[in-house]
Amino acid sequence: MARRQPEGPPPAPIVQRIRVQYAKRGRMRFSSHRDFARAFERSLRRAAVPMAYSAGFHPHPKISYVGAAPTGVGSEAEYLEIALAERCEPADVIAAIDAVLPDGLDMVLAVDVLDAPPGSLPDQIQASHWRLELADDPAVLVEAVAELMRHESVMVDRLTKDGKRSIDARAAIVTGIVSAGTEDQSRAIIELVVRQATPAVRPDDVLAALTSVAGFAPSQPPRATRLAQGPLSENGAVGDPLRITTVKDTGTPVSTR
Amino acid sequence: MSANKPEYQSPESLFDRLDPLLTQVSKPIQYVGGELNARSKDWDSVPVHWALMYPDAYEVGLPNQGVQILYEVLNERSDALAERTYAVWPDLEKLLREHGVPQFTVDGHRAVGAFDVLGVSFATELGYTNMLTALDLAGIPMHAADRGDEHPIVLGGGHAAFNPEPISDFIDAAVLGDGEQIVGAITEVIAAHKAAGSPGGRDELLVRLAETGGVYVPRFYDVSYVLDGPSAGQLASVRPNRDRVPERVSKHTVMDLDEWPYPKTPLVPMAESVHERMSVEIFRGCTRGCRFCQAGMITRPVRERSIEGIGKMVESGLAATGFEEVGLLSLSSADHSEIGPLAKQLADRYEESRVSLSLPSTRVDAFNIDLANEFSRNGRRSGLTFAPEGGSERLRRVINKMVSHEDLISTVTAAYSQGWRQVKLYFMCGLPTETDEDVLEIATMAQDVIRAGRTATGSRDIKATVSIGGFVPKPHTPFQWAAQAAPEVVDSRLKKLRDAINSDRSLGRNIGMRYHDGQPSLIEGLLSRGDRRVGAVIERVWRSGGRFDGWSEHFSYQRWLDAADAVLPAHGVDIGFFTTRERDADEVLPWDHLDSGLDKQWLWDDWQDALTGYEQDDCRWTPCFDCGVCPTMGTDIQVGPTGRSLLPLAAATPKR
């Protein structure tokens, strides 16, 4: 017999796209990307956001994600784009979503695509600014990072579901700066600007590279946070992917709250 | 071990110590809490602190309705708070031990040892070893006898607690039946005891709980055994060993479900869980009388939630969670007296939204298909599930789940012709009086289903799946006296069945067969109908590494057999004594002093009726058959129809 088809009219057309910056903070940094996506989709329903849906028996809200931070890593700068079937004020949409998301999954900024830089959202994501906090002597890290930067290429193994995968953890690094913690001078902070590559080089890959070239092993699992993602300027700063501005000489993250 | 270390009893958050460990384990999100609708109350604002444990992984434990209901009921009280704790996987267990971090709650990350009560909900006996892990990690002495005033009261509940004897060494107390009201009563007893300066310590507190008649405290009962003669090894008696303690302990029954509309704001897991949906319980209890079904026996009488109450819970639950699917739960949901209007009105209400409704459907009749059609008005009709449970008509009379071969075929024909593409059929293997021929009839049935489906649809592309579980005789059922089938018998029948299904390739390739081997069922049987002597087997299994026994990748049959062989012979019994041995009418059963309301003589008569294939009707539609529950418990069946309908919604539905 013929397969049943969904009855009724086709889904409402897309009238607006909104790009959203969100953060993964505190204990919610332990959420995986899939965990976030489920929570976000539920929040869209609770906030009654007039989403545009795909066709078929199981319509899905139209959401695209870019470059999710790994599980266990915090982030101030994750991005996604949603498609709406009714026009809305972007700030109102994320305020409604933020009110129904668990604390720690926080909406930061939203702009209409028409007000955003041209091109797709992935086009805007050229580099990522990471901060790694380690319970180790900054002097040791200064040496280790300097040694890493002397190399052109450092291959490290990453364990994936399909086995080991070899990636170059050095080539993608634009800058690596070590400083002492402001509260605790005996703790080291590494700030990294890493060019977007496939597969993406992540903080644990850089740590593996430090082990490989300098024999460095962290005394405790480091805490990593993504501070920014966006266009990469010639002087190595990471800009804001949601605003049409020339990239300034600053890598500081954008925050509107 | 570390029972006296203060950190094991401090309510301060352990999160900072846990944080570096979580980066090293799989799925760390399951340990951090903070889910939507999670509660957090100030520790010092209430006198009584409950830790609620579901002794399995978070992904299984979080959706559990019992824990969610009690969590909400307790947190709404002004004199109590409740936090949740789940079994930690071996990767985190190892790290917790290495770093001296105790078992913690996911809400406040407080040490479980700091709470007044550790309530453990046992939906299945296979969670017993996980409770021991939690006790050990919490620094709570494993044996109740070794605990002092500073330790939590370890309280068992859930269906398995209707025979808590195998875990009586490890729990301080058990509660039978519905928890909504008794957790309040227990809270008040503890609060009063604390307010009075804890006179008489732990022992007096347990006596105060026991004398309510609704809390079973195993240590206040002495068990004696028959030492010689043909009954050697059996129980001789179970008697209270002090005053103020009742001869028998009664189960609890909540009579008006509309007064207890919980969970009102269901927890929404951050991690992926086994049920990505919201559940609304539409009635409790079942009087279908399936003789294998412990849930149906111990939850009597039937109590329906009203159609308005269901409507409100669906609406407010969806608004509070953002779930996309709602399951209407009960033991036999199509039996709600107003299920027809309910299904139609809910389908109408949510037709324009993307909310889908589901009904765990087990009845084999055309009405069930009408309901399923209502719930899939604009959705894909994928699979429809029926549970004939027994392969032959004779066997279905034995288990009192009567459906004829013809009824089944005409029902599935209707399903296929209305667009359903797959039919799932649930069966059990190892039922009392079962022979190879009974099980082989499952193959005939499945083949006839495929033939009927092909005729009805004119297509060869239809599927049927048969799912087969091993039968485990349970306490408080007519089959509590039955001999459990040996794993070899179950496995051999399943192999013959598989060969029979595959004997006709043209039909067999459209039939899927899913089953579990018989070994875990035998261990479940040992734990279900065991007595206090089985406790040492559980402890030995745990000490040799037993964890997560409900998971096939962690379960070790050999470990259980070895432990049983090491422990039981000293008592003159073995694993077969508890499992494959048929009991006599006059045997004292380990749970006889625990009152589920069912009259033991009625259960025995029903067991004898089973053996002669005599069916028992349902008291919802036919006169009372004196199972004993209503007069014993002072209850009555509560069914409609009320003739009422869903209230119109005051607010807009989630869809704009």
Side-chain angles (χ1 to χ4, degrees):
Chain A
M1 61 172 271
R3 293 268 159 96
R4 294 172 70 245
Q5 293 293 324
E7 294 154 20
I14 296 168
V15 301
Q16 185 183 21
R17 290 178 197 274
I18 291 176
R19 290 185 186 164
V20 176
Q21 179 187 359
Y22 65 97
K24 247 170 73 172
R25 295 174 177 141
R27 57 185 170 182
M28 284 302 150
R29 72 190 159 91
F30 291 108
S31 59
S32 70
H33 177 59
R34 282 164 57 86
D35 298 333
F36 172 79
R38 271 194 315 277
F40 184 70
E41 288 184 33
R42 286 184 189 129
S43 75
L44 293 172
R45 288 192 288 274
R46 288 190 70 213
V49 177
M51 293 295 294
Y53 280 81
S54 62
F57 276 116
H58 289 294
H60 289 286
K62 289 188 168 282
I63 308 168
S64 26
Y65 300 93
V66 290
T71 305
V73 172
S75 178
E76 293 296 319
E78 301 293 287
Y79 294 92
L80 57 80
E81 183 175 303
I82 56 177
L84 303 184
E86 290 171 30
R87 287 204 71 81
C88 296
E89 182 56 44
D92 295 345
V93 171
I94 61 163
I97 295 170
D98 198 56
V100 295
L101 271 176
D103 284 346
L105 298 178
D106 300 327
M107 297 289 115
V108 176
L109 178 68
V111 299
D112 190 303
V113 165
L114 300 176
D115 299 327
S120 73
L121 187 53
D123 289 344
Q124 299 294 319
I125 307 294
Q126 295 163 356
S128 196
H129 182 176
W130 299 96
R131 173 191 169 93
L132 278 69
E133 294 167 69
L134 298 106
D136 297 278
D137 182 1
V140 174
L141 261 307
V142 167
E143 283 304 312
V145 170
E147 179 59 30
L148 173 61
M149 297 307 282
R150 275 193 280 276
H151 290 70
E152 294 239 314
S153 161
V154 177
M155 301 304 289
V156 296
D157 287 334
R158 184 192 291 170
L159 278 173
T160 70
K161 264 182 246 155
D162 313 315
K164 273 189 187 169
R165 181 167 183 185
S166 195
I167 61 170
D168 188 341
R170 164 63 188 92
I173 300 176
V174 182
T175 56
I177 298 166
V178 179
S179 59
T182 45
E183 281 174 29
D184 182 350
Q185 296 276 317
S186 69
R187 295 172 70 90
I189 291 174
I190 311 177
E191 297 218 20
L192 292 165
V193 172
V194 179
R195 198 176 282 109
Q196 183 63 31
T198 307
V201 172
R202 307 190 306 207
D204 51 340
D205 301 320
V206 176
L207 286 168
L210 290 174
T211 307
S212 164
V213 299
F216 170 76
S219 56
Q220 281 179 28
R223 180 178 284 210
T225 309
R226 169 140 61 198
L227 298 179
Q229 285 193 87
L232 182 63
S233 73
E234 283 177 14
N235 63 3
V238 179
D240 184 342
L242 298 192
R243 294 187 215 252
I244 306 177
T245 46
T246 49
V247 177
K248 293 186 196 118
D249 296 350
T250 167
T252 46
V254 176
S255 175
T256 57
R257 349 167 109 199
Chain B
M1 247 177 44
S2 325
N4 294 318
K5 285 192 188 170
E7 73 204 28
Y8 280 66
Q9 282 156 13
S10 159
E12 297 305 309
S13 171
L14 295 159
F15 194 77
D16 285 345
R17 297 184 57 201
L18 204 52
D19 188 312
L21 310 184
L22 293 182
T23 57
Q24 304 167 56
V25 301
S26 68
K27 298 187 194 163
I29 190 71
Q30 66 186 307
Y31 303 115
V32 306
E35 307 93 330
L36 203 59
N37 300 327
R39 308 298 168 93
S40 112
K41 285 173 83 168
D42 181 23
W43 185 264
D44 295 321
S45 68
V46 295
V48 182
H49 310 96
W50 288 72
L52 299 177
M53 178 177 201
Y54 190 89
D56 204 332
Y58 176 92
E59 65 194 77
V60 180
L62 184 126
N64 180 266
Q65 291 290 293
V67 172
Q68 288 208 20
I69 289 169
L70 299 185
Y71 178 70
E72 209 171 309
V73 165
L74 284 165
N75 278 319
E76 279 187 6
R77 295 181 64 96
S78 59
D79 57 356
L81 65 74
E83 300 196 0
R84 297 160 294 135
T85 184
Y86 303 97
V88 299
W89 287 107
D91 59 350
L92 184 58
E93 183 191 338
K94 182 166 172 286
L95 288 170
L96 293 180
R97 289 182 189 285
E98 280 172 20
H99 295 265
V101 181
Q103 176 83 22
F104 56 89
T105 59
V106 298
D107 294 296
H109 297 95
R110 307 183 204 269
V112 163
F115 288 77
D116 299 295
V117 189
L118 170 60
V120 191
S121 176
F122 292 106
T124 153
E125 296 81 0
L126 295 175
Y128 290 161
T129 50
N130 283 350
M131 171 179 69
L132 299 191
T133 309
L135 291 175
D136 188 57
L137 285 173
I140 300 170
M142 184 165 292
H143 292 147
D146 298 333
R147 290 175 201 145
D149 293 353
E150 70 277 25
H151 295 117
I153 299 293
V154 179
L155 177 70
H159 287 183
F162 276 78
N163 176 25
E165 293 299 87
I167 50 168
S168 58
D169 286 348
F170 316 120
I171 58 170
D172 294 292
V175 161
L176 280 61
D178 301 335
E180 287 94 335
Q181 289 165 309
I182 185 65
V183 293
I186 292 173
T187 298
E188 282 159 21
V189 170
I190 295 173
H193 185 247
K194 275 183 129 176
S198 304
R202 187 179 192 85
D203 188 76
E204 170 63 15
L205 175 58
L206 288 170
V207 172
R208 289 187 183 186
L209 291 171
E211 71 183 349
T212 64
V215 179
Y216 173 53
V217 180
R219 74 180 64 173
F220 296 154
Y221 296 80
D222 288 335
V223 177
S224 61
Y225 302 92
V226 178
L227 298 178
D228 44 34
S231 307
Q234 294 177 17
L235 268 59
S237 68
V238 180
R239 294 207 190 290
N241 56 23
R242 59 166 94 191
D243 301 337
R244 299 168 64 190
V245 171
E247 293 268 328
R248 300 187 81 203
V249 180
S250 299
K251 77 162 177 179
H252 298 270
T253 307
V254 169
M255 280 315 296
D256 186 348
L257 290 196
D258 284 325
E259 280 182 15
W260 296 91
Y262 296 90
K264 294 172 184 166
T265 55
L267 287 157
V268 183
M270 274 298 299
E272 194 158 10
S273 71
V274 291
H275 292 302
E276 291 288 316
R277 62 169 176 255
M278 190 183 99
S279 298
V280 173
E281 187 182 23
I282 63 172
F283 65 87
R284 203 171 281 181
C286 180
T287 38
R288 284 260 153 194
C290 303
R291 289 169 175 135
F292 54 83
C293 179
Q294 187 192 37
M297 293 289 163
I298 63 178
T299 60
R300 293 177 178 200
V302 169
R303 292 145 286 153
E304 291 189 349
R305 201 183 294 284
S306 72
I307 191 165
E308 300 104 311
I310 296 166
K312 264 187 255 173
M313 282 184 75
V314 171
E315 187 58 22
S316 62
L318 284 173
T321 61
F323 275 124
E324 233 180 347
E325 187 181 342
V326 182
L328 300 179
L329 290 196
S330 74
L331 292 170
S332 177
S333 291
D335 285 342
H336 190 285
S337 63
E338 290 177 301
I339 189 69
L342 177 66
K344 182 177 181 306
Q345 290 171 33
L346 284 176
D348 286 349
R349 180 183 278 184
Y350 296 106
E351 184 156 26
E352 292 300 313
S353 75
R354 288 181 178 81
V355 171
S356 68
L357 300 156
S358 67
L359 196 67
S361 55
T362 53
R363 260 170 60 183
V364 186
D365 61 29
F367 177 62
N368 218 353
I369 296 176
D370 294 343
L371 289 174
N373 289 347
E374 201 68 271
F375 283 170
S376 64
R377 276 185 198 172
N378 203 20
R380 185 166 49 190
R381 291 184 178 166
S382 47
L384 210 52
T385 302
F386 300 105
E389 310 284 4
S392 68
E393 285 191 22
R394 185 197 70 78
L395 201 53
R396 291 195 288 276
R397 271 194 293 276
V398 170
I399 63 177
N400 202 39
K401 181 131 193 185
M402 201 45 225
V403 48
S404 71
H405 187 85
E406 290 69 33
D407 285 348
L408 182 94
I409 297 302
S410 68
T411 303
V412 299
T413 301
Y416 283 124
S417 60
Q418 287 168 48
W420 295 89
R421 292 187 297 186
Q422 182 165 0
V423 167
K424 290 182 200 159
L425 301 171
Y426 279 15
F427 297 92
M428 282 187 289
C429 184
L431 289 161
T433 78
E434 178 185 280
T435 63
D436 287 2
E437 286 67 38
D438 293 314
V439 175
L440 289 174
E441 278 199 40
I442 296 171
T444 316
M445 190 185 279
Q447 288 165 343
D448 286 351
V449 162
I450 297 292
R451 283 195 198 93
R454 285 180 181 169
T455 309
T457 62
S459 161
R460 296 181 68 77
D461 179 28
I462 53 152
K463 290 197 186 77
T465 305
V466 294
S467 240
I468 301 149
F471 167 65
V472 179
K474 295 279 179 169
H476 306 282
T477 70
F479 288 167
Q480 65 183 354
W481 291 276
Q484 184 172 358
E488 304 75 48
V489 172
V490 171
D491 292 347
S492 131
R493 284 185 186 145
L494 291 176
K495 184 179 180 311
K496 286 173 186 164
L497 172 60
R498 197 177 51 211
D499 292 345
I501 286 175
N502 291 333
S503 64
D504 185 338
R505 287 301 304 151
S506 73
L507 295 168
R509 65 193 169 143
N510 288 38
I511 302 170
M513 180 172 160
R514 297 207 185 120
Y515 61 94
H516 297 291
D517 62 31
Q519 293 177 345
S521 297
L522 194 80
I523 302 308
E524 194 187 329
L526 169 71
L527 299 174
S528 295
R529 292 193 295 169
D531 58 35
R532 294 186 178 189
R533 295 169 292 189
V534 173
V537 179
I538 300 169
E539 183 172 343
R540 193 177 178 95
V541 164
W542 180 81
R543 291 198 183 280
S544 59
R547 306 284 189 279
F548 288 94
D549 286 298
W551 297 70
S552 56
E553 61 268 46
H554 290 276
F555 175 80
S556 163
Y557 185 56
Q558 196 58 47
R559 188 151 51 203
W560 281 97
L561 289 190
D562 290 347
D565 283 346
V567 167
L568 296 177
H571 302 289
V573 294
D574 60 10
I575 193 169
F577 174 88
F578 294 105
T579 55
T580 53
R581 179 179 64 95
E582 185 169 334
R583 277 73 157 169
D584 286 332
D586 52 1
E587 179 166 344
V588 176
L589 300 173
W591 49 90
D592 279 350
H593 58 300
L594 301 175
D595 192 357
S596 61
L598 296 156
D599 180 56
K600 193 176 180 188
Q601 185 60 47
W602 177 79
L603 286 171
W604 176 263
D605 293 344
D606 203 44
W607 167 227
Q608 298 308 302
D609 284 348
L611 294 174
T612 53
Y614 181 83
E615 296 156 50
Q616 175 66 60
D617 283 327
D618 188 324
C619 66
R620 272 172 293 194
W621 303 291
T622 59
C624 173
F625 45 75
D626 293 326
C627 75
V629 170
C630 291
T632 311
M633 298 291 157
T635 56
D636 210 345
I637 57 171
Q638 287 190 353
V639 295
T642 62
R644 297 196 292 266
S645 57
L646 289 188
L647 291 175
L649 288 179
T653 57
K655 161 81 180 168
R656 280 251 178 117

